[in-house]
Amino acid sequence: MLTRVQTNSNVQRIDWPNAPALIERLFPAQKVSVETKREFDAHGAQTLTALGSYWKGRKRLVYVRACVLAALLPATADPVRDLEIFEKLMALDDEAFLVRESKTKASEFARLAIQAGQISETDLPRYFRLAGKAPKPDEPAPSVADLAAAMDDGKLAWAVEAEERSDIRLAAYSQMPYEEKVSRSLRPEELPASAYDGIWADVNAHLGTSARSHQELVDQLGRLRFGRRPKLADPFCGAGSIPFEAARVGCDVYASDLNPVACMLTWGALHLVGGGDRMRAALEGARLRVAAAVDARIADLEIEYDEQGNRAKAYLYCVEVRCPATGWSVPLLPSLVISRIKKTVARLVPNHAAKVMEVEIASDVSEHELADAKLGTVRDNCLHYELDGDLYRTPLSTIRGESQSKGGAANRLRRWVKSDICPRGDDILGERLYCIQWMRQETLHRARPETFFAAPTEADLLREATVRETVETNLASWQACGFVPDMEIEPGEKTSEPIRTRGWTHWHHMFTPRQLLVSALVAEEMSRQEDEEVRGCLAFDRTFLANFSSRLSRWLPGTPGVPGRAPSADQVKDTFYNQAINPFFNYATRAWYACRIGEGDSYNYSQVHGDCSVSSMDARGLQVDADIFITDPPYADAVNYHEIAEFFIAWLRKNPPAPFSEWLWDSRRAIAVKGDGEEFRVAMVESFRRMAECMPANGLQIVMFTHQSASVWADMAQIFWGAGLQVMAAWYVATETTSETKKGGYVQGTVTLILRKRGEERFGFKDEIVHRIRDGVARQIETMTGLNQVIGAEGRIENLFEDADLQMAGYAAALRELTSYTDIDGVDMTQEALRPRAASERGFVEDIITFAVQVANEHMVPEGLEPQVWERLNGAERFYCKMLDIEATGSRKLDNYQNFAKAFRVGDQLTTVMGDLSPNKARLKSAMDFGSGFGNTEFGQSITRAMLYAVYELMRDVDSDLVLSHLRDNVEGYNNRREDLIGLAAYVAAKRRTVDEAEARAARVLRDLIRGERLG
């Protein structure tokens, strides 16, 4: 299908079915990265987080939208205009900030517009006035000087209407780095559809379409490319951000996952959050009905009020043990602090008659006592307490009776049985309610009732007994109905911990009787709701209860506000703050008041478009055709969601609501795609091959992949070979944050791989492929640095790609070139991809990928360093110089250093050149840090190290003649390397100027000394 479109008066022809996608040619990765970070910083305001914060691997919606649109848009003969149109559609261009901006003051606009030359100070009276009340008619207008002073003080206000401000605001935006613009603005997803009204004339003129919305444009692009509204599939849907955003922008979507919890989250994204106002109204009514019914039943049981009418908000429990040395019962409390805000602590009071350490709750204690209370009875994995002046300390492993011969895996803890809901009297590990957070009766009508803490009274313990008896009486029937779990805990990498350390054998053992009671009552009332779709939506409240009210829920004492930090409330935190199932010695239960549903709406409703379907199945068994596949598959350091999800599967598997009743409610650990080894590679080949089979000839796959290992990238190349796919492009987008959710905690970005079906057979040889990769890397970098530049302050060019993006060009070129061949050096690469191999085996594919990264590095000469100097440096020296350049920008993230250390093959030498390896405070060693020692590393014998030693001596006031003498001795072939030393010294002087002025000054002196020396 050929369509004629008019673009900047140039007529071109687009062969729509065969036109390359925009994302195959260009992609503003750095801008998308900034937007992605901005979305992450929204935390709870993110659109899908309320469905289940325990799923940590969601890709940001703005990133997904960028991929969907760039996959549908064509790459035309006018790439600059292509990029402009894409940025308009994504609200990334400067004009979009006229609508997005929300935090910039008039004074800032005035100052920046003057810097840009849009206006001068003499123009201030035309556009601005003094902030405050409007001037009276008889008052003299403020002078230019008055307005200029007010601008400096931040006290200007606009004197013109919005339409007249646009040019000034646009001029101001041109002065701001993109990240700063974004920090002052609404996120693109927060914009109403009307915010894009001004773009459609340009979009339609460029593409030959007639759209007035994103949904209309997507529909038209799909029909031009595929003959129908585009259908997007994600068979590794996880928490659903990919299908949700694709449906929101106008695609038909199909989503599937082996894990039923992932499918449920995706269903919720599409039908609950994506249900818009209709679902908001239906769910609000159902939640209020359920809450009212549970309220009434809790009131009948009389278990949440005391005799004065105060209502409980939280119950604090701890494990209790009998000390083998004294026979006393002692609570295990890692900290005795209960609330920093109310200065409340737990005090241990000996009860000699009962041989029990009682717990007394004291409020408004002194700062000294509050500080001392940070340390409790658990210290260094030991029971630690004082009794009658004597200190007792016993390892907890000894109390549990762990067997050293079996590595601590075996112990004397009783294994709980299905009917257990709390420890038995003779168990090694008991349980004690030691504190209750109450809300005062006279303040219950307030939005935030006044609270206080108290130790449980005899009446409170009787109420606890009522709860326990009610659960014991009803447990079997609740389990039969699916209101309470009866599922056993299967041992695994994450799930063996509660079995070993607590003796729990079933999932309901992870919940206190009070938690089981509330959850059962909620589940029972939800089952009475008639609307099947609403029952599906209500299931998310059940998972919320489980996550925020278990024996793994932490009690987090609040903190008072201090300068620079807002106060935080005392609260019960979620179970899955990380991807582990680790029991605590002290934990908290929310009373029904603090976890009841229907009290305000926690969902950010939106509206999806097109047909949406979700199924629970293995990607290898995919049966649905789609035009575009976008996936975020498991990879080599994937989270064990197949184990963690069983925490929620246990609650839903017996009686899932109708929308989910056809799914198999089992984690299916045995067939889950694990993130490493031969099994992983084979499973991924089968999955991607099946996707390719379900894709048309002009279909596209986008794979979001995160890893820093060349060997893992080699695996991915072989996976694509085996699946019959070819990598067309790759883009690096910063999508992650520094967090322990990823192996090592330092992975920051995602590589976006663009794939198509491989065409005809192609034969090649390693030597020619290496040369083509070198050329491909150069072309990729030229494209990345040439197409996404904007004019910044004073006419300077601001390249929005960073070096990390350029490093990824090495991966892009290698995968693109390698996967285009079917035979290399006579080896059938499809068969080679399927060949079993040893874990330690290193093949030529990995060597080629590593080589490609090295080629990319050659194109990354730091600003201010002469290319001829750079060419003569070894890898460790290049690393040092490159990181000096990055440090000069203020960046201190460890992942930058680690990425470049791998790229420059620094290896074990990294620690020898680093002054600090903290995740967000990393830095190189300075000349003073290196001192006088040279060491035996390659870096230590280099001219860079010799130059730094000379700088060190100058900082120590060593005579300049002696410094030069040492420098000549330390640099082999000194006369031939003088210009290199001068260049290096000048470079260090420039880069250290804002970091270490003393070192910069010494480097300048060294530069001048070398220049001025007389050579014999």
Side-chain angles (χ1 to χ4, degrees), residues 106-129 143-149 151-152 156 158 167-168 171-172:
S107 298
E108 293 177 275
F109 279 125
R111 176 177 55 79
L112 292 168
I114 290 172
Q115 290 178 5
Q118 182 68 28
I119 63 173
S120 64
E121 283 194 3
T122 58
D123 295 318
L124 288 175
R126 176 182 172 187
Y127 297 102
F128 300 95
R129 60 178 175 82
S143 66
V144 171
D146 291 337
L147 291 172
M151 177 180 68
D152 293 338
L156 283 186
W158 286 102
D167 289 344
I168 293 176

Side-chain angles (χ1 to χ4, degrees), residues 48 51 58 234 236-244 253-257 259-272 540 613-615 660 663:
L48 299 182
L51 291 173
R58 286 186 178 92
D234 178 7
F236 295 104
C237 64
S241 59
I242 293 173
F244 171 75
V253 300
Y254 169 80
S256 64
D257 202 289
N259 191 319
V261 174
C263 293
M264 176 180 162
L265 290 168
T266 300
W267 184 94
L270 295 169
H271 294 270
L272 195 169
F540 290 92
S613 62
V614 183
S615 64
F660 321 139
W663 303 342

Side-chain angles (χ1 to χ4, degrees), residues 540-721:
F540 290 92
D541 289 305
R542 292 187 66 187
T543 61
F544 176 88
L545 278 175
N547 188 31
F548 279 84
S549 199
S550 78
R551 281 188 169 109
L552 281 68
S553 297
R554 300 162 293 153
W555 174 253
L556 191 65
T559 56
V562 296
R565 187 181 66 188
S568 62
D570 304 309
Q571 57 187 312
V572 181
K573 297 294 287 183
D574 54 325
T575 297
F576 288 104
Y577 67 99
N578 63 10
Q579 281 70 47
I581 306 178
N582 298 326
F584 296 102
F585 292 115
N586 63 317
Y587 36 93
T589 291
R590 294 186 179 200
W592 167 243
Y593 173 91
C595 61
R596 66 194 188 283
I597 63 175
E599 297 294 316
D601 211 331
S602 57
Y603 300 116
N604 296 317
Y605 291 95
S606 188
Q607 185 65 57
V608 301
H609 304 266
D611 296 329
C612 307
S613 62
V614 183
S615 64
S616 177
M617 66 177 300
D618 192 334
R620 290 163 280 193
L622 183 69
Q623 299 296 325
V624 176
D625 291 338
D627 307 308
I628 300 171
F629 286 86
I630 300 183
T631 58
D632 177 20
Y635 30 80
D637 54 0
V639 173
N640 291 307
Y641 282 119
H642 53 283
E643 291 185 16
I644 293 171
E646 291 174 359
F647 180 91
F648 301 102
I649 290 172
W651 282 95
L652 295 167
R653 72 184 186 97
K654 270 287 190 71
N655 188 22
F660 321 139
S661 57
E662 299 299 317
W663 303 342
L664 179 59
W665 281 87
D666 187 280
S667 66
R668 291 182 274 187
R669 291 191 193 184
I671 61 173
V673 177
K674 309 299 195 304
D676 54 26
E678 186 69 14
E679 180 183 351
F680 163 74
R681 192 167 56 85
V682 172
M684 292 286 277
V685 168
E686 294 174 357
S687 299
F688 280 100
R689 179 192 293 151
R690 186 61 194 141
M691 283 184 265
E693 292 168 351
C694 294
M695 188 175 73
N698 66 338
L700 200 67
Q701 287 196 32
I702 298 177
V703 179
M704 299 170 174
F705 187 73
T706 300
H707 213 276
Q708 296 169 297
S709 166
S711 63
V712 174
W713 280 94
D715 278 345
M716 291 305 294
Q718 291 163 346
I719 287 166
F720 298 146
W721 261 317

Side-chain angles (χ1 to χ4, degrees), residues 289-569:
R289 289 192 297 273
V290 170
V294 175
D295 267 333
R297 298 181 70 176
I298 293 288
D300 288 343
L301 289 169
E302 300 181 345
I303 56 173
E304 285 201 356
Y305 289 88
D306 68 5
E307 293 69 25
Q308 289 75 43
N310 302 314
R311 185 168 187 175
K313 185 176 183 182
Y315 296 84
L316 278 60
Y317 297 87
C318 67
V319 174
E320 186 175 42
V321 298
R322 190 172 297 278
C323 175
T326 64
W328 278 58
S329 292
V330 184
L332 293 182
L333 292 168
S335 172
L336 300 178
V337 175
I338 292 174
S339 172
R340 297 183 185 90
I341 295 175
K342 296 184 179 297
K343 296 183 179 180
T344 301
V345 300
R347 293 172 178 165
L348 300 184
V349 180
N351 181 337
H352 288 82
K355 299 188 72 174
V356 172
M357 278 292 184
E358 305 286 5
V359 178
E360 175 186 280
I361 305 301
S363 296
D364 295 320
V365 301
S366 67
E367 290 291 344
H368 178 74
E369 184 174 358
L370 188 64
D372 286 346
K374 289 180 181 179
L375 296 177
T377 60
V378 179
R379 304 183 190 180
D380 299 323
N381 290 314
C382 292
L383 170 64
H384 182 111
Y385 73 103
E386 186 176 336
L387 176 64
D388 297 335
D390 294 322
L391 182 65
Y392 296 91
R393 184 180 176 88
T394 307
L396 295 174
S397 58
T398 300
I399 294 174
R400 286 192 294 258
E402 291 181 354
S403 171
Q404 298 303 315
S405 63
K406 296 184 179 181
N411 56 46
R412 294 188 295 106
L413 295 183
R414 178 184 69 86
R415 295 298 186 257
W416 290 27
V417 298
K418 184 177 177 180
S419 60
D420 284 331
I421 59 172
C422 55
R424 298 177 186 175
D426 57 351
D427 279 348
I428 293 174
L429 302 181
E431 182 175 72
R432 179 195 292 194
L433 172 66
Y434 70 96
C435 182
I436 303 175
Q437 183 186 30
W438 294 98
M439 298 177 290
R440 297 191 186 279
Q441 184 273 335
E442 62 272 20
T443 66
L444 288 175
H445 63 283
R446 299 178 186 172
R448 293 185 178 181
E450 183 182 338
T451 63
F452 67 96
F453 295 91
T457 64
E458 288 298 324
D460 294 325
L461 296 178
L462 287 175
R463 283 185 278 271
E464 282 290 290
T466 298
V467 171
R468 188 166 56 252
E469 291 166 6
T470 302
V471 175
E472 288 173 342
T473 301
N474 292 280
L475 182 64
S477 62
W478 285 343
Q479 289 178 328
C481 295
F483 299 154
V484 168
D486 64 355
M487 180 174 154
E488 289 189 44
I489 303 172
E490 180 182 345
E493 184 176 337
K494 300 297 182 183
T495 50
S496 290
E497 184 71 7
I499 301 173
R500 182 183 69 84
T501 61
R502 291 294 184 274
W504 299 336
T505 59
H506 289 67
W507 288 99
H508 72 278
H509 295 156
M510 294 189 186
F511 301 86
T512 67
R514 189 174 290 274
Q515 291 165 339
L516 293 173
L517 171 61
V518 168
S519 295
L521 295 179
V522 168
E524 187 174 356
E525 294 301 330
M526 287 180 176
S527 70
R528 296 191 170 110
Q529 304 305 304
E530 295 181 358
D531 189 311
E532 292 182 352
E533 189 177 35
V534 168
R535 285 208 304 274
C537 294
L538 289 171
F540 290 92
D541 289 305
R542 292 187 66 187
T543 61
F544 176 88
L545 278 175
N547 188 31
F548 279 84
S549 199
S550 78
R551 281 188 169 109
L552 281 68
S553 297
R554 300 162 293 153
W555 174 253
L556 191 65
T559 56
V562 296
R565 187 181 66 188
S568 62

Side-chain angles (χ1 to χ4, degrees), residues 720-740:
F720 298 146
W721 261 317
L725 294 166
Q726 177 182 352
V727 177
M728 310 304 294
W731 307 99
Y732 183 85
V733 175
T735 57
E736 311 296 334
T737 56
T738 300
S739 135
E740 292 304 319

